[in-house]
Amino acid sequence: EVQLVESGGGSVQAGGSLRISCAASGFTFDDSAIGWFRQAPGKERERVACISQHDGPTYHVDSVKGRFTISSDNVKNTVALQMNNLQPEDTAVYYCAARSHSPICVNMDSWGKGILVTVSS
C-alpha cells in the first residue's frame, strides 16, 4: 500500500519561509515521480513542482520559480519543498502526490491528505 504523509505546514507572514516534507512508503523513488500540488480557496488544484530520477526537479508555476526548491532523499523516501519569500497568493492546501513507473507528475496514482499553508500580509 502506498502511503504519503505531509508535514511542516503552518502560518507565516509574507516574506517568511516554510519547509514542508512528504514521507513516502510502499514504493521507491527510483521508479516513480513525486510532486507537490496545491489548491487555493475557490481555485483548481495546480501542479507546483515535481522530482524524479529521470528528469530531476521541475517547476510548473511561474510565480514560485526562484522561491521554491524541491529536493529528495531517495534513501529515506522523502521529498521536501523549501518555500522562501512566501506571499499571500501561496496560501493553499498543499498535497504530496506520487506516480509509479513514470518520470513525470501527471495522472498521479496516490495522494496525501494535504497540509494547510497560510500566508498573511
Side-chain angles (χ1 to χ4, degrees):
E1 179 182 357
V2 176
Q3 290 185 274
L4 302 170
V5 181
E6 303 100 334
S7 62
S11 299
V12 297
Q13 294 185 356
S17 298
L18 282 174
R19 184 179 179 90
I20 56 178
S21 297
C22 175
S25 62
F27 65 96
T28 64
F29 292 140
D30 288 347
D31 191 34
S32 65
I34 305 293
W36 284 101
F37 297 72
R38 68 184 184 185
Q39 188 167 24
K43 303 290 186 178
E44 295 292 325
R45 179 183 290 165
E46 63 180 347
R47 181 177 53 177
V48 178
C50 180
I51 191 165
S52 70
Q53 182 177 347
H54 290 280
D55 292 349
T58 56
Y59 302 90
H60 301 279
V61 178
D62 287 343
S63 63
V64 313
K65 294 178 180 178
R67 298 190 297 121
F68 290 11
T69 303
I70 188 170
S71 61
S72 65
D73 185 331
N74 291 352
V75 175
K76 297 180 179 179
N77 272 10
T78 59
V79 173
L81 186 68
Q82 178 68 42
M83 302 182 289
N84 296 330
N85 192 23
L86 284 161
Q87 302 299 311
E89 294 77 20
D90 297 315
T91 296
V93 175
Y94 284 72
Y95 298 89
C96 177
R99 184 183 180 188
S100 299
H101 313 301
S102 174
I104 56 176
C105 291
V106 297
N107 300 321
M108 311 308 284
D109 299 319
S110 304
W111 294 83
K113 294 179 63 177
I115 53 172
L116 178 63
V117 172
T118 301
V119 185
S120 59
S121 60

